[in-house]
Amino acid sequence: MTRFESAREIFSRRGIGVEAAMDALGRKAISIHCWQGDDVTGFDFPGQGGGNGIQATGDYPGRARNFEELKEDLRLAFSLIPGKKRLNLHASYAVFPPGEWADRDELEFRHFVPWVEFARELGVGLDFNPTLFGHPRVEDGLTLSSPEEETRRFWIRHCVACRRIAQRMGEELGDKVLCNLWIPDGYKDIPADRLGPRLRLKSALDEVFWEECPNVIDSVESKVFAVGVESYTVGSHEFYLSYAASHPGVYPLLDNGHFHPTETVSDKLPALLPFFRYLPLHVTRGVRWDSDHVPLQDDELREMMKEIVRCSAMKRVLIGLDFFDASVNRIAAWVLGARSVQKALLFALLQPHESLKESQDKGDFTRRLVEMEEAKSLPWDDVWAEYCARQDLPADGSWLETVKEYEERVLKKRKGLREIGG
Ligand code: RNT
Ligand code: ZN
């Protein structure tokens, strides 16, 4: 008997089907964020880096400097991640024809056609994000909530342009595209006016979401604080949750790095699922704060995945990765992060949810506790090995050898200034 056959038997004795679990895992797309490949730099402001609202830390060599390099890196990462994937783009990754450039408020679908072609090559869907950072028009740290009318108008035009681009992407690929809005707006020190910026943001959002975009799933991403904006965040959880609740078709995106460290997104999912058709999710690993470390299979990642499974919400919770670690090999970060999420999801798919719920509903909390602890030792990793083998991929960390070989051959040769214009 192979290890897989033995695992299949162990699970089936508990009424859990491993084939169904592998099928469900294989069908669940993980949206891979392009911005891990170049430390959130983008192509439209060479030299500026992510900056102005966002920051990656570390100086590992080999950052992708242009469209071709980023594609090459993504191809390798995608080839080492099993299952279904999507590609998540930021507007700052527009690809301009030689000699051309467009500011964020003038971006058009044609600037993303090369990405649509790439998505077709990979056989994946796209997701999209307006980029309201890393740009000189982030005025005193503010965008859509700025008191400057011109600044606000610029960013509203940008967001409207992005929704149109996302709509076209969806039409071209025959798909729905998640278009997620996150802004860095906030204050380092105690604000004298907390309401004004939020009223301005609210009316800006009303303009942004005015147009019907049937292929777009709109979301707004909240945050508790960030470095440099320790005292006040305009787009707080209460603000965006209320906005989404009162604007059908706009969904609250939960980034698990964006809450107080003792708050858990795993508990927020079942609190919000009764009210929202979709719940987009950004998976990261916060170390003390929203540090955007690579996700590992920690308790909270497993707990979030368990909730998705228990709530039968595989189609409703849209899983995307969101971290940017510049201190390790960036391709390895993608692969490790995506695989950790998938492993946690498989683990969740193989839990004895029914009997655990039964113990809870009978009030037998002793049995629930014991069973829950025992279930951690079920041989889910033998199922993972089988899942990967069926896709001709290593189940263990030997994929790193491929990445290391690529590092020697390709990444180490990337030196000097990045090229302009993608
Ligand atoms: C920032 C948010 C946001 C960004 C990306 C680049 O704190 O998490 O999702 O990471 O849009
Ligand atoms: Zn995020």
Side-chain angles (χ1 to χ4, degrees), residues 14-30:
R14 285 170 175 76
I16 302 164
V18 293
E19 292 296 335
M22 285 190 287
D23 276 0
L25 180 63
R27 270 184 275 117
K28 181 59 184 161
I30 309 289

Side-chain angles (χ1 to χ4, degrees), residues 222-223 235-242 254 259 263 268 272:
S222 69
K223 189 160 176 169
S236 63
H237 186 49
E238 290 77 3
F239 177 87
Y240 279 138
L241 188 54
S242 308
L254 303 174
F259 296 89
E263 272 184 276
K268 295 179 193 299
L272 298 179

Side-chain angles (χ1 to χ4, degrees), residues 35 40 54 90 129 133 180 182 221 223 255 258 282 290 322 324:
W35 53 92
V40 214
I54 209 153
H90 246 282
N129 305 258
F133 52 77
N180 173 56
W182 173 77
E221 178 180 7
K223 189 160 176 169
D255 181 314
H258 287 191
H282 273 181
D290 181 36
D322 182 18
F324 24 97

Side-chain angles (χ1 to χ4, degrees), residues 340-412:
S340 301
V341 173
Q342 291 174 327
K343 284 182 189 173
L345 187 54
L346 180 63
F347 173 86
L349 285 161
L350 291 169
Q351 291 291 291
H353 298 294
E354 289 314 314
S355 70
L356 285 165
K357 275 186 206 169
E358 206 179 295
S359 300
Q360 174 167 320
D361 292 343
K362 280 187 187 149
D364 191 346
F365 305 140
T366 312
R367 182 174 298 279
R368 183 184 62 181
L369 193 63
V370 171
E371 256 192 78
M372 209 178 260
E373 185 60 11
E374 288 303 322
K376 287 181 186 164
S377 318
L378 291 173
W380 66 272
D381 51 337
D382 291 334
V383 183
W384 170 256
E386 174 71 12
Y387 176 76
C388 290
R390 288 185 189 180
Q391 296 176 57
D392 277 327
L393 284 171
D396 62 12
S398 57
W399 55 262
L400 182 57
E401 297 321 311
T402 313
V403 175
K404 282 286 183 190
E405 185 273 321
Y406 182 82
E407 179 172 307
E408 288 303 320
R409 189 166 47 83
V410 180
L411 300 181
K412 284 197 174 160

